[in-house]
Amino acid sequence: MNKPASVPEQCDAVVVGAGFSGLYMLYRLRQLGLSVKVFDSAGDVGGTWYWNRYPGARCDIPTTDYTYSFDPELEKEWTWSEKYATQPEILEYLRFVADRHGLRSDIEFSVTVTSARWDEPEKRWRITTDGGREVRCRYYIMATGCLSTPKSPDIQGAGRFTGQVYFTSRWPHEGADFTGQRVAVIGTGSSGIQSIPLVARQARQLAVFQRTANFSVPAHNGPAPAGRLEQLDEDRVAYRHAARWSRGGVPNEPTDVLGVTASGSVRRERFEAAWEQGELFGILNVFADQGVNPASNDIVAEMIREKIRSAVEDPETAEALCPKDHYFGTKRPCLDTGYFETYNLPHVRLVDLRKQPIVSITEDGIETADESFGFDAIVYATGFDAMTGALVAADVAGRDGLSLKEKWAAGPSTYLGLMTAGFPNFFMLTGPGSPSVLSNMTVSIEQHVDWVAGCLEDMREEGLETIEPTALAEAGWDQHVQDCAAITLYPTANSWYMGANVPGKPRVFLPYIGGVSAYRQACDEVVSQGYLGFRMTGPGGVRCRDGVVRRMQPDVAMVLELVAAMGMPPMDTLSAADARALLAATAATRPPGPEVGEVIDGVIPGPAGELPYRLYRPAGPPEGPRPLVVYFHGGGWVLGNLDSDDPLCRDLCARSGAVIVSVNYRHAPEARFPAAALDALAAVQWVDANAIELGGIPGQLAVAGWSAGANIAAVACQLARDTGGPHISGQVLICPVVDSDTTRLSYQENGDGYILTTALMQWFWDHYADPADRGDPRAAPLRGDLEGLPPACIIAADFDPLRDEGVAYARALEAAGVPVRLARARGHTHTSVTMVGVVISGAPVRAEIGEALRDFFPSAEPQEHLS
Ligand code: NA7
C-alpha cells in the first residue's frame, strides 16, 4: 500500500530547544496567541541541565540569580536549597516550570531538526526533522544554548579504548560507578574541576590529564548568600531590575579601585573578600582594571596562585596546577569544592600534558610521550563547540540558499546576536555577539526572549511579515563586538570564547563583552529608533531605517560618560586662565604614559623670547643619534603646555624610536595670530640647526602636532618651504585645525557632545585670530599653496568636528602631489586618540602614527612593544 503523501504541518513558530530559553520563548509566544512547536533532541526539558549530569555538576552563578524572574508567583513557590544548586535540582526546577505553565503539550522530545530552508515566495521556513517530518512556520527560533554541542574528542586513537568511556556533557542517566576503578579524566575546565573531587572519592586510582592549568575559586557552597536573600526579601522587583541593568546580570557594585594604584593592604583586603565570597563576578571585579591591564590582572592571578600553592602539598604538582599562560578571567574561571586539595590524596595524580603530551589513546589506556597508563574508564571533560556549534549543526539555508555554516565560515556575523542578514525571521537566543556566556544566562535569556516577543508583536501590529538585519547594521555590530573585546585582555587567551578550543574554528571573540546593561540599552535603542538596522517587509512594502547602533569605541563612550558625570562647566564659558587651570587639574590625574630613555627640559630662543621645550629620547639601542620630531601640543592656541601632552609625547617617542622635541609656543589671547605659527617655524629651524647637540641625525627632521598644534605644524611646513628651509621629512597632523570654516558636515554631526564643540572651537578662534586673518594660510593652511610639502600622515577622527577639514587637507595635499597617509580614527573623538593609558582603543591609531614616523626615517628603531 502506498503511503499517503504527507501534508506539511503548519505553525507560526518553531523553537529548537527546551531549556531555559526555549521554555520561556514558548511561554511568551503563546501569550501572543501564536501556534508553536518546540523540538528538542533530549528526552525531556532542561537543555544543558538535561545533558550535563556528571557528578558535581552545578551552576556557577548563585541560584538566587540563576532563575526566571518573569513569573512572580513562581518565585514564591520555588526555593533553591543551596547557594549553587546541583544539576538535578535545576533540572527539577525546569520541569516544575514546564508543568506549572502547561508547556509540555507544545514540546516534542527526541526530535532533532536536521534542516531549515527559507522559502522566499511563501515567506516561510521549511523545517525538516530526523523523523522526516516537514513543518512550515513563519518564525524559526534557535533556543539551542551556548554550550550544547560537545567537542568531538580530538585525540589520536580516541576510538580504540575498550574500557568505559564517559563524556561529562552526555552523562548516562543511570550514573557511573567508579568504585575500585582506574580512571582518567581529560580536561580541567569547569566540568573537569567540578567532577574530579567526586570521581576521586570512588576511584581506586585517578589520573587527571591537564592541558591548561585553570584558575579556580572555592564556591563556598552552602545556604544561599544571606546578603542576596535579604535584598530579595526586601524588594524583589528592585533586585531583579538591578540585575537587568548590571554588567553581568547579577546585582553587583562595580568597583573603581585600580589594581595598579591600590595599596598592598587594599589589594589584599579586596582579594580575600572576593575569595571568601566565592562568586565569579566578585573575583572578576577585585579591581576595575584587571580585565584590561596586565599588571593589575597579574596581582589577582598571583594571589590565586599563592592559594593553589598553599592548598597543594606536593610543590611540583602545585606549580603545574598554577595557571601561567593566560590572564585571569580570559578563560572562564571555575568555582570548585575541594578541587586543588584532591591532589593531596595518595591515589590522585596530575599528568601535565605540557610536559608529556598524549601520543595516543590505546585499547587499555593512554600513552603519553613519557609513560603508558592503564585505565578502566576514561572521562572526557573536553568542552564544547561553544556558541556557534549548535547553530550551524542543523543545515540552515537562508534567502539566497546560502547556509549559515557557509556564511559564518570565517566566524559568526550577527546583528545584536539576535539575527543574521540573509536569514529572515530567524532568531537566535543568546547568539554570538550577545552577552550570553559572559553574563548570568537567565537574565540574558529573558532579555532576548522578551525582545523577540516584542518584535513579533510590533510586526503583527504593523502588518509586517519578515524581518532581517541589513548588511550595514550587522557589520557595524560585528565591529562593535570586536572593538569591545579588543580593549580587554580576553582575546589574548586560547579560550572557547575565541573559538580556540576547536581545531580549525576561526578565531573570533564570540560573546559581547560590553555588559548586560549596555547591551540591553543598545537593543532598546534599536527598537525605539524604529528597528534601526532592520529591513522589514509586508504587503505594504519595505520598511527600513538603516544604520549602525554603536559606532563609538566603547572606551571613548565611557570617557564621555565620565566627563558628563563630572558636570564640568563648558570651557567656552570660562576665561582663558580658568580654562587653563581646569585642564591642568584634569591632566594631573592621568596615567603618565610609557617610560622613555631620557627626558630633558630646555629653552629655545624664539622670535619674541625664549620658548620652553622638553626632549624625549627613546630607551634602549641603538646608541647614537636618532631622527628628530618637533612636536606641538594641542589646546586651541590658548591652552596646553609641555605637561598637557607629556604622555602622548612619551608614547610617540617609544613608538617611533625618534627623539621628540615638544615645544611650547606663545599662546593666545596674550599673543595672537600669527605668534604661535612663527614660533613653530623658529622652533623647527632651531632644532634643525642644533640637531647634533640634541642627539639627532642632521637632515632627519619631522614635525608633528595635535589639534591647534597640528595647525602650526602644518603652517611651519609651508613657511619652511617658502623661507629657505629647513628640509622637513614628514608631518604628522593629529586631528588638525586646517581651516576656519565651521560649516562642514563634521561640524554639524559632531559639533556638540564630543568635548571639542563648535562653541569651543569658536572660542579658540576668537582668542587666536581676528576674523579677517582666519583665511590667511598661516591660520588656515588648507587655503595655502600645497605643492612641494613634506609627506603627511593625517589622523581624522569619526566624532571630531574637525574630521572633514583633516580629510580635505589630505585630499588637497594628494592633489598637489604630496604623499599622504590618511588614517581614520574609527569611533574616536577629537581628544580620545591622545588619551594614552586611558583610551586603549587609541593605541592602534598611535601605532599607525609611530609607523608613519618610522617611514619618514627608515633607520629608526621602535622601542619595545607597547599596547
Ligand atoms: P571547557 O571549559 O572548554 O574545558 C575543557 C577542558 O578540556 C580544558 O581544560 C581543555 O584544555 C581540555 N581539553 C580539550 N581538548 C583537549 C584535548 N584534546 N586534550 C587535552 N585536553 C583537552 O569545557 P567545560 O565543559 O569544562 O566547561 C564549559 C563551560 O560550561 C564552563 O566554562 C561553564 O561556563 C559551564 P585547554 O584549556 O583547551 O587547553
Side-chain angles (χ1 to χ4, degrees), residues 60 147 151 154-155 168 186-192 209 211-212 331-332 353-354 358 381-384 494 496 501:
D60 58 9
L147 295 155
K151 195 171 83 107
D154 48 349
I155 304 175
T168 49
I186 304 177
T188 51
S190 285
S191 305
F209 290 78
R211 187 163 70 182
T212 307
K331 290 181 91 145
R332 191 178 182 93
L353 298 181
R354 295 286 159 93
I358 295 177
T382 44
F384 300 87
N494 286 326
W496 55 257
N501 65 328

Side-chain angles (χ1 to χ4, degrees), residues 375-401:
F375 293 113
D376 304 306
I378 296 179
V379 176
Y380 289 95
T382 44
F384 300 87
D385 183 353
M387 305 216 53
T388 56
L391 293 171
V392 300
D395 179 17
V396 185
R399 195 166 9 79
D400 302 321

Side-chain angles (χ1 to χ4, degrees), residues 224-410:
R228 297 207 177 279
L229 284 181
E230 270 164 34
Q231 289 179 54
L232 274 164
D233 286 347
E234 212 170 275
D235 191 343
R236 190 169 288 270
V237 173
Y239 186 87
R240 298 291 180 220
H241 179 84
R244 287 183 199 115
W245 290 99
S246 67
R247 192 169 167 76
V250 178
N252 260 336
E253 276 302 309
T255 182
D256 54 7
V257 175
L258 300 180
V260 281
T261 51
S263 68
S265 60
V266 167
R267 288 173 182 172
R268 176 56 66 183
E269 203 180 298
R270 290 192 58 78
F271 172 76
E272 293 296 344
W275 188 262
E276 266 320 297
Q277 186 197 26
E279 290 188 15
L280 278 186
F281 289 127
I283 199 80
L284 288 166
N285 195 32
V286 176
F287 304 124
D289 55 346
Q290 71 188 62
V292 296
N293 187 330
S296 172
N297 190 283
D298 202 46
I299 296 166
V300 182
E302 191 48 34
M303 287 184 182
I304 299 178
R305 288 190 285 262
E306 273 172 26
K307 296 279 187 191
I308 297 173
R309 289 181 189 116
S310 68
V312 180
E313 286 159 13
D314 174 47
E316 204 182 319
T317 306
E319 224 34 56
L321 286 165
C322 283
K324 292 182 197 117
D325 72 344
H326 62 281
Y327 293 111
F328 172 63
T330 56
K331 290 181 91 145
R332 191 178 182 93
C334 306
L335 289 179
D336 71 274
T337 303
Y339 171 66
F340 291 112
E341 293 78 2
T342 301
Y343 293 94
N344 297 333
L345 299 171
H347 66 291
V348 177
R349 177 177 167 193
L350 181 74
V351 181
D352 182 353
L353 298 181
R354 295 286 159 93
K355 290 204 177 123
Q356 47 170 322
I358 295 177
V359 176
S360 179
I361 310 266
T362 62
E363 281 74 13
D364 56 4
I366 296 177
E367 203 177 294
T368 70
D370 296 351
E371 283 173 79
S372 284
F373 295 81
F375 293 113
D376 304 306
I378 296 179
V379 176
Y380 289 95
T382 44
F384 300 87
D385 183 353
M387 305 216 53
T388 56
L391 293 171
V392 300
D395 179 17
V396 185
R399 195 166 9 79
D400 302 321
L402 184 75
S403 77
L404 193 60
K405 202 171 184 170
E406 286 161 348
K407 180 177 173 185
W408 287 4

Side-chain angles (χ1 to χ4, degrees), residues 47 84 154 176 223 240 266 287 354 391 396 435 469 564 648 661 670 716 721 735 755 769-770 788:
Y84 295 109
D154 48 349
R240 298 291 180 220
V266 167
F287 304 124
R354 295 286 159 93
L391 293 171
V396 185
L648 177 64
V661 185
E670 294 83 355
R721 177 200 56 194
C735 304
I755 298 184
D770 292 338

